[in-house]
Amino acid sequence: MNARPRYSASLPHGWSSNVRIAVAAGGTFSGVDEDAGGGEAEYLGRYVLPGMPNLHSHAFQRAMAGLAERRRSAALVSDREDQKATVHARTTQKNSDDSFWTWRETMYGFASRIGPDDLRAIAAQLYVEMLEAGYTQVCEFHYLHHQPHGKPYADPAEMSLALIEAARETGIGLTLLPTLYMTGGFDGRALSERQRRFGHDVESYLRLVQQLRAQESSTLRVGVALHSLRAVPQVAMRAVLESGLVDSAPIHIHVAEQIGEVQDCLALRNARPVEWLLDHAPVDERWCLVHATHMTADETLRLAATGAVAGLCPTTEANLGDGIFPLKKYLDAGGVIGIGSDSHISVSPVEELRWLEYGQRLATRHRNIAVSESSNSVGETLWGDALFGGALASGVAVGVIEGRDADEALPAARADLLVLDHESPLLAGRTAATALDTFLFAGNSNLVRHVMVNGAWIVRDFHHRDAERIAARYRETAQRLADLL
C-alpha cells in the first residue's frame, strides 16, 4: 500500500527554493533538483504546485447547472418504479420538500436531449474550466451510452469517444470510466424508460471497455465504474471483477450517498451499502468509493483500512442535500481521500476543499479539522491528501509523489503543474508556509496563472489556449438544448 506523501506545495518533503524541474520529451518529469542555479531554465514563479486530479465527473451535467434550483414536489416524480426505490427517503419528507430524487428527475429529462456532438461541446467547455481552475486530470464516470430510447449507436462507443475527443481537444488528462448500469433498484427491476440509454448487459459492457482500451495513451486511462449497488446485481459485479479487465485498472462506484439508499440496502440485502461492499468485493487501492457519506463508525474504520479512496464531492453533496462525510474519523484512521466536482455546480478544487473543511466546522463547531501529525496546516493537508488520493483514483502518477519510503519516488510521474499568481494581492505578505492556506481560504479570485499538463503549457496567464472557440461552440449547444426544454 502506498502512503500519502509528506506534502507541501512544491515537493513532497516540503517547500524548496531554487528548484530546477526537467521534463522529458514524453511529458514526464525526468529530474527535480533542489537549490539549483538559474542557468537557462525558465522561471515559473514563486509558488508551483502539482496539478490536481478531479476524481468524479458527469460532464453532461455542467450544462444543467442552475436549472434545478426551484422547489419541486416529490409527488411530481413521474416514474412510479423510481418512487418505490426511494420510499424510505420519501417517508421522512413533508409535502413539497425537494431531495436528490426530485433533482434526479430534472437530470433525467436533461440527459434525454443530449447527443454525441452536444456531449463533446459540453465536455470541452467543462474541461477548459477545470484546467483554468487547476484540475489537470478528470475521472469521467460515464453512463450516457446509448441513444435516448436505449438503442445503441452504430458505434457503441460513440458517446465515450465524444469525451475522449473533448479531452484531447482541451489537453486535460482523462480517466474514462465507462459505467455498468443494469437495474432500476436493489430489487433487480428493469430500467425505467428514462434509464434505458444507460444500460448494458455484462458482455456488451466488457466489449465496450476492451474497445476503449485501444485508445489509451499518456493522457488517457480507461478504468471501470459500477454505477451503484442498486444498479449492478451481485452476479454482474462478480463477473466484471473476474473478467481480467480490471486487474490493474481503477474501479469506481457510487455508494451510500443517500439515506434512502442505505435503508433500501438494509431492507433487501440486510446490510448497509459500504458494509455490504466491503463484505462482498475485494476493495483495495484500485477502488474509489464515491461519496460514502452515510457510514457507521465501524464502516469508516474498515474503509480506511482498505487503502481505497473516498471520492468526496462537497459542493455537489451540499447542493443535493446528501449529508456530511465523517472526515476526521476517516483521516485519523489513515483513510485516503480525493475530490471531484460531480454535477459541476462548481468547478474549482479550491471550493471543494474549502467546503470539505467548512462542512466539518459547521458540524463540530470547531476550527482547523483537517490537519495531520506531519502538518498543522489545513491547506497543506487537504491539498496533499487530495492530490495523493486523486492520483490513485485516476490510475495515473501525477505531480511529484513519494511512495511509502521517503526515497521511493514513483517512476515516470506526468509533468502536471500549476503556477500560482504570486503578484496577486491575496498572496501579498505570504510565505511558503502560508501560501496554500491562503490559496484555499482567502477570497474568490482565481490564483492559478499557468497550467502544464503532460509537459505542455495549456493555460497561460489565466486563459486556456483555445477558450474562445470552445466557449462559442458551447454557447450554441447550450442555447439549442434550452430551446428544447
Side-chain angles (χ1 to χ4, degrees):
M1 182 186 300
N2 290 325
R4 74 187 56 177
R6 299 184 308 281
Y7 179 82
S8 63
S10 181
L11 298 176
H13 55 270
W15 284 93
S16 181
S17 60
N18 301 321
V19 174
R20 183 194 295 272
I21 298 170
V23 178
T28 57
F29 290 114
S30 59
V32 179
D33 299 323
E34 301 179 60
D35 297 319
E40 297 180 357
E42 177 185 4
Y43 175 68
L44 299 183
R46 186 175 179 185
Y47 303 117
V48 181
L49 314 178
M52 179 62 68
N54 183 328
L55 57 64
H56 193 62
S57 168
H58 304 295
F60 75 93
Q61 292 178 20
R62 180 66 185 94
M64 63 166 280
L67 296 181
E69 306 307 318
R70 292 175 179 266
R71 177 175 288 182
R72 298 184 63 191
S73 169
L76 293 177
V77 177
S78 60
D79 193 319
R80 296 293 178 183
E81 294 302 309
D82 282 353
Q83 286 189 56
K84 292 178 185 177
T86 59
V87 63
H88 298 290
R90 302 275 172 79
T91 57
T92 64
Q93 297 176 1
K94 304 295 183 183
N95 301 322
S96 61
D97 286 354
D98 260 346
S99 69
F100 166 86
W101 308 103
T102 51
W103 170 87
R104 191 174 72 160
E105 287 300 304
T106 301
M107 182 270 288
Y108 282 171
F110 189 83
S112 69
R113 294 167 171 81
I114 293 175
D117 290 341
D118 304 320
L119 183 58
R120 186 180 302 108
I122 295 167
Q125 175 61 28
L126 170 66
Y127 296 162
V128 166
E129 294 173 11
M130 285 187 184
L131 287 159
E132 291 183 343
Y135 289 119
T136 58
Q137 179 82 15
V138 57
C139 297
E140 195 62 54
F141 198 107
H142 171 57
Y143 55 81
L144 208 60
H145 295 299
H146 309 307
Q147 296 180 60
H149 297 295
K151 183 178 179 180
Y153 289 95
D155 181 348
E158 182 87 15
M159 295 292 273
S160 298
L161 293 173
L163 292 167
I164 291 173
E165 290 165 9
R168 287 174 176 164
E169 180 181 18
T170 58
I172 200 168
L174 173 65
T175 301
L176 182 60
L177 302 164
T179 301
L180 181 61
Y181 201 131
M182 298 180 68
T183 57
F186 281 99
D187 58 2
R189 75 175 70 93
L191 297 178
S192 69
E193 182 178 353
R194 288 177 178 239
Q195 296 169 324
R196 285 175 190 159
R197 72 179 308 188
F198 311 157
H200 277 104
D201 57 34
V202 172
E203 185 178 352
S204 63
Y205 173 74
L206 293 177
R207 283 199 304 269
L208 174 64
V209 174
Q210 199 156 24
Q211 178 182 349
L212 293 170
R213 286 276 167 84
Q215 300 275 339
E216 287 191 321
S217 67
S218 61
T219 55
L220 174 63
R221 185 77 194 274
V222 177
V224 300
L226 309 167
H227 181 272
S228 56
L229 294 182
R230 68 177 183 271
V232 181
Q234 182 178 0
V235 172
M237 178 182 294
R238 185 182 303 117
V240 172
L241 296 179
E242 294 176 354
S243 68
L245 290 178
V246 299
D247 290 347
S248 61
I251 305 167
H252 289 225
I253 185 170
H254 293 128
V255 68
E257 180 179 5
Q258 285 284 320
I259 291 292
E261 174 193 347
V262 175
Q263 293 173 327
D264 288 344
C265 192
L266 278 166
L268 292 167
R269 297 195 182 184
N270 198 34
R272 298 169 61 88
V274 173
E275 175 190 15
W276 189 95
L277 188 65
L278 294 175
D279 286 344
H280 293 87
V283 176
D284 58 19
E285 294 176 356
R286 297 170 300 163
W287 287 71
C288 177
L289 277 62
V290 181
H291 305 305
T293 306
H294 301 286
M295 295 192 290
T296 64
D298 182 63
E299 287 175 301
T300 302
L301 295 177
R302 288 184 65 194
L303 178 58
T306 66
V309 181
L312 309 181
C313 308
T315 61
T316 291
E317 289 154 4
N319 183 269
L320 298 179
D322 288 343
I324 297 177
F325 180 82
L327 182 67
K328 181 168 176 52
K329 289 181 179 179
Y330 185 74
L331 292 181
D332 286 348
V336 180
I337 64 167
I339 54 166
S341 55
D342 195 354
S343 67
H344 313 301
I345 46 91
S346 174
V347 185
S348 166
V350 167
E351 192 167 8
E352 298 300 337
L353 293 172
R354 183 182 294 180
W355 277 101
L356 178 57
E357 170 70 14
Y358 282 176
Q360 304 300 312
R361 295 185 187 188
L362 290 169
T364 64
R365 298 187 296 280
H366 291 282
R367 301 187 69 251
N368 299 328
I369 306 299
V371 294
S372 65
E373 292 183 359
S374 61
S375 175
N376 64 2
S377 162
V378 177
E380 288 185 2
T381 301
L382 286 177
W383 191 270
D385 285 3
L387 169 66
F388 179 72
L392 281 183
S394 302
V396 176
V398 294
V400 183
I401 308 171
E402 289 177 332
R404 172 167 291 282
D405 298 322
D407 58 355
E408 180 192 349
L410 293 180
R414 201 175 69 202
D416 288 10
L417 297 174
L418 314 181
V419 180
L420 300 187
D421 180 23
H422 61 264
E423 296 178 351
S424 168
L426 292 177
L427 290 175
R430 300 301 187 263
T431 65
T434 55
L436 260 172
D437 290 327
T438 302
F439 178 39
L440 295 188
F441 294 102
N444 293 303
S445 299
N446 182 18
L447 296 180
V448 178
R449 184 160 192 163
H450 310 305
V451 179
M452 173 185 286
V453 180
N454 200 41
W457 291 113
I458 306 297
V459 174
R460 281 290 205 178
D461 292 321
F462 308 102
H463 296 294
H464 184 275
R465 61 192 182 188
D466 205 13
E468 289 74 16
R469 182 184 62 78
I470 289 171
R473 184 180 63 195
Y474 171 78
R475 284 192 291 269
E476 294 176 358
T477 299
Q479 184 60 60
R480 183 167 43 77
L481 291 172
D483 292 342
L484 296 174
L485 293 176

